[in-house]
């Protein structure tokens, strides 16, 4: 398939939704702002909305009808970030990573703390030809001393970078996994006449070990579950060997390093994509995990899979997805939830 920029009009409301979601801060454990933003978007469409003890936002859409199942769809609303460990006498803050943060993408970056403080990331002098480690980095908030520093031990920040619309491709700091939150929100709005009771979970603390989805899946106790998350691509210069590329449709996960998708769920997803002529790709991800694992291992076990949005530069401040893939992911998710699910 050749890559041709879409000529048809794009959905401006969807673009505005994506911009709002990716620009709302929410590092793992600090999801209150993004949770409120999502709740606002779905309150007129869900039959019931609640927040569980960990902070997962759980929205029920529909009731179980004959032939229907209880389905859980999980998109995580947390993002990677940093936590202050020490502030020195001159006001420079040292930090640890929240989730998988690379020192290479930190240097020169800008951060936004949950208390509104902004700062930039500096680096100590490095030995020639050495790569930086997180220990070499510090946050400079413009403070003159430790007393003057507006952040203290335990304070959390996320990366700050405005949404960038490149046309066929969209770029932001937290496409992982706000783009899936946008897909789930669109599906909630579009879902009509589903035979299923669908629980849309906007999960917390995924980046630190699928923690939100673990309690959410236990609480929802679904018959079948789907995570929606980003996945890596093999379509940039001299990168990993991987079949998934931008603009070839959403990916149906076969495995990652956290779980093996249930083959019956994979077959159900592939059949739905084929039947509705939605382009799709099969994903085998060498390293990485999603909420699919947490759902699969809930209670006595749940058939689970994952709908993936191909994404370049994951866990950098400039994660890139394809607009067309996002639209097709919404179509596929709505189709999956609208029909009877036969896990043969
Ligand atoms: Co991630
Ligand atoms: Zn993710």
């Amino acid at each position: 398939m050749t890559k041709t920029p879409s000529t048809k009009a794009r959905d401006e409301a969807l673009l505005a939704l994506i911009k709002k979601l990716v620009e709302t801060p929410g590092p793992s454990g600090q999801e209150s702002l993004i949770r409120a933003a999502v709740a606002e978007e779905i309150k007129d469409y869900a039959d019931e909305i609640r927040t569980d003890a960990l902070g997962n936002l759980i929205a029920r859409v529909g009731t179980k009808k004959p032939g229907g199942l209880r389905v859980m769809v999980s998109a995580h609303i947390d993002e990677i970030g940093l936590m202050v460990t020490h502030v020195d006498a001159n006001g420079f803050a040292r930090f640890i990573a929240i989730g998988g943060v690379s020192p290479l993408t930190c240097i020169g970056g800008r951060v936004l703390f949950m208390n509104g403080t902004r700062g930039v990331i500096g680096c100590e002098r490095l030995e020639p030809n050495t790569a930086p480690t997180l220990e070499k980095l510090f946050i400079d908030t413009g403070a003159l001393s430790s007393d003057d520093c507006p952040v203290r031990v335990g304070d959390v920040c996320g990366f700050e970078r405005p949404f960038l619309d490149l046309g066929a491709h969209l770029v932001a700091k937290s496409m992982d996994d706000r783009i899936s939150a946008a897909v789930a929100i669109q599906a909630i709005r579009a879902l009509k006449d589903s035979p299923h009771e669908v629980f849309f979970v906007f999960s917390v603390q995924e980046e630190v070990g699928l923690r939100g989805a673990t309690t959410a899946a236990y609480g929802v106790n679904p018959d079948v579950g789907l995570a929606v998350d980003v996945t890596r691509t093999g379509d940039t210069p001299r990168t990993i060997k991987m079949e998934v590329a931008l603009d070839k449709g959403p990916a149906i996960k076969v495995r990652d390093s956290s779980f093996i998708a249930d083959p019956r769920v994979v077959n159900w997803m592939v059949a739905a994509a084929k039947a509705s002529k939605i382009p799709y790709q099969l994903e085998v991800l060498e390293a990485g995990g999603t909420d699919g694992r947490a759902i699969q291992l809930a209670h006595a076990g749940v058939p689970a899979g994952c709908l993936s949005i191909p994404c370049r530069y994951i866990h950098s401040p400039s994660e890139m997805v394809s607009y067309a893939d996002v639209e097709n992911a919404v179509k596929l998710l709505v189709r999956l939830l609208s029909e009877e699910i036969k896990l043969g």
Side-chain angles (χ1 to χ4, degrees), residues 4 6 167-169 247 249-250 279 321-329 331:
T4 46
S6 170
H169 294 170
D247 302 300
V321 300
S322 147
Y323 179 83
D325 290 347
V326 174
E327 278 205 325
N328 282 317
K331 279 187 204 158

Side-chain angles (χ1 to χ4, degrees), residues 85-101:
T85 54
H86 173 73
V87 179
D88 75 15
N90 296 317
F92 295 104
R94 300 287 175 161
F95 56 81
I96 53 166
I98 296 173
V101 175

